[in-house]
């Protein structure tokens, strides 16, 4: 008489038959946790099923391995196996075609999602029109000769800039004097010595004092030409 479908033995028997592979009690208990079956209950069910001949088992030392009874399954002959293999091959081909179709649809969806909606286009257009209007207003002010920077502010900035250039020139000269004194009689290669100390010249980082000084001259010419 088969066990009732909602008993531990029925649940365990159904699982063992579905898996149809060697299992130990821990394998079964781990999978059947969703049925709130404890390992002890699973072990008892396995032993009862084995004792009643509903499943097979083998002992390996202290461990028992359980497997479904094979005589309950229909074993296909060679012709049936070949037919099943052919069916499997056709299904695999269909699966690959479906995967390609899905990839194509996903690519189309991604492309559509990357496009702006009409609402987004209108919003972007409004923002761009606003920016253009602001730029046109600014350009109109420049054309009328409106001074955007107060003379006193410009003078303060120029004085601060010239002071920084002066400090740069002074420190550059101080470094050169000290460096020449240190390296005057040094037997070391000056380039290697500089790299060893981690010293970088202005030119090493792509700047020159002269280029910043020239900015002042160009600014003065531009003011005179206005």
């Amino acid at each position: 008489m088969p066990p009732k479908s909602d008993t531990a033995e029925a649940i365990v028997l159904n699982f063992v038959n579905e898996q149809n592979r060697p299992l130990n009690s821990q394998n079964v208990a781990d999978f059947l946790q969703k049925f709130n079956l404890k390992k002890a209950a699973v072990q008892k069910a396995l032993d009862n099923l084995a004792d009643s001949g509903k499943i097979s088992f083998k002992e390996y030392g202290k461990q028992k391995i359980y497997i479904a009874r094979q005589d309950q399954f229909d074993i296909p002959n060679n012709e049936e196996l070949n037919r099943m293999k052919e069916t499997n091959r056709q299904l695999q081909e269909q699966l690959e075609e479906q995967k390609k179709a899905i990839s194509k649809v996903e690519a189309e969806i991604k492309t559509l999602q990357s496009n702006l909606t009409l609402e987004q286009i209108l919003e972007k257009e409004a923002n761009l029109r606003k920016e253009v209007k602001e730029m046109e207003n600014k350009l109109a002010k420049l054309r009328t000769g409106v001074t955007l920077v107060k003379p006193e502010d410009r003078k303060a900035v120029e004085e601060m800039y010239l002071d920084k250039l002066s400090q740069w020139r002074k420190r550059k000269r101080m470094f050169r004097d000290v460096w020449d004194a240190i390296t005057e009689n040094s037997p070391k290669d000056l380039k290697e010595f500089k790299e060893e100390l981690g010293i970088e010249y202005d030119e090493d980082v792509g700047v020159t004092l002269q280029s910043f000084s020239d900015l002042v001259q160009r600014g003065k010419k531009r003011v005179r030409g206005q």
Side-chain angles (χ1 to χ4, degrees):
M1 181 179 178
K4 293 182 179 180
S5 60
D6 58 348
T7 64
E9 286 187 21
I11 295 171
V12 171
L13 177 61
N14 184 57
F15 175 70
V16 172
N17 285 337
E18 283 182 349
Q19 295 296 305
N20 193 21
R21 62 184 175 88
L23 300 163
N24 60 34
S25 58
Q26 188 63 55
N27 299 145
V28 181
D30 289 343
F31 185 86
L32 297 181
Q33 283 183 353
K34 60 185 179 181
F35 294 101
N36 295 320
L37 292 178
K38 304 296 183 182
K39 185 178 178 182
V42 169
Q43 183 66 67
K44 182 179 179 181
L46 286 168
D47 290 338
N48 289 340
L49 291 168
D51 291 341
S52 63
K54 293 184 176 66
I55 62 174
S56 302
F57 77 96
K58 287 186 179 181
E59 293 189 56
Y60 296 91
K62 295 182 179 181
Q63 189 177 41
K64 288 183 178 180
I65 300 298
Y66 303 89
I67 191 168
R69 285 185 54 170
Q70 299 303 298
D71 57 4
Q72 65 180 311
F73 300 114
D74 293 329
I75 301 176
N77 56 35
N78 288 337
E79 184 179 346
E80 290 173 326
L81 281 173
N82 290 334
R83 194 160 50 244
M84 291 168 67
K85 287 179 181 178
E86 177 61 22
T87 301
N88 181 62
R89 185 190 64 78
Q90 293 175 0
L91 290 173
Q92 289 294 332
E93 289 180 356
Q94 293 176 18
L95 178 61
E96 287 303 317
E97 291 176 0
Q98 291 297 323
K99 285 182 178 179
K100 290 179 182 178
I102 290 172
S103 297
K104 184 177 180 181
V105 171
E106 287 177 344
E108 291 176 356
I109 291 173
K110 189 174 181 180
T111 300
L112 291 172
Q113 289 176 337
S114 65
N115 294 333
L116 296 176
T117 63
L118 178 59
E119 183 180 351
Q120 291 171 327
I121 291 173
L122 293 174
E123 183 181 356
K124 190 170 184 178
E125 181 189 16
N127 291 333
L128 289 173
R129 288 183 181 278
K130 182 180 178 182
E131 289 179 16
V132 170
K133 187 66 176 176
E134 291 173 353
M135 291 179 182
E136 287 177 345
N137 292 337
K138 186 174 181 179
L139 181 60
K141 289 181 180 179
L142 291 173
R143 283 172 176 167
T144 59
V146 174
T147 303
L148 300 180
V149 180
K150 295 179 181 178
E152 56 269 28
D153 292 338
R154 181 187 181 89
K155 184 179 180 182
V157 171
E158 287 179 346
E159 288 177 351
M160 181 176 66
Y161 186 80
L162 290 171
D163 179 63
K164 299 302 180 184
L165 286 179
S166 176
Q167 292 292 332
W168 186 352
R169 188 175 293 105
K170 185 184 299 183
R171 291 174 184 274
K172 190 177 180 69
R173 186 168 56 249
M174 290 171 60
F175 167 77
R176 177 53 63 184
D177 292 342
V178 172
W179 179 253
D180 289 345
I182 293 173
T183 60
E184 183 177 3
N185 298 315
S186 175
K188 290 188 174 184
D189 180 272
L190 295 186
K191 184 178 180 181
E192 292 181 358
F193 188 38
K194 181 167 74 76
E195 292 178 354
E196 182 182 337
L197 296 176
I199 295 174
E200 291 181 328
Y201 293 160
D202 295 341
E203 294 77 9
D204 294 333
V205 292
V207 297
T208 63
L209 177 61
Q210 187 60 46
S211 65
F212 283 87
S213 299
D214 291 344
L215 290 175
V216 177
Q217 298 302 321
R218 286 201 295 271
K220 290 180 178 178
K221 290 179 180 178
R222 203 161 40 237
V223 170
R224 286 197 296 270
Q226 287 180 351

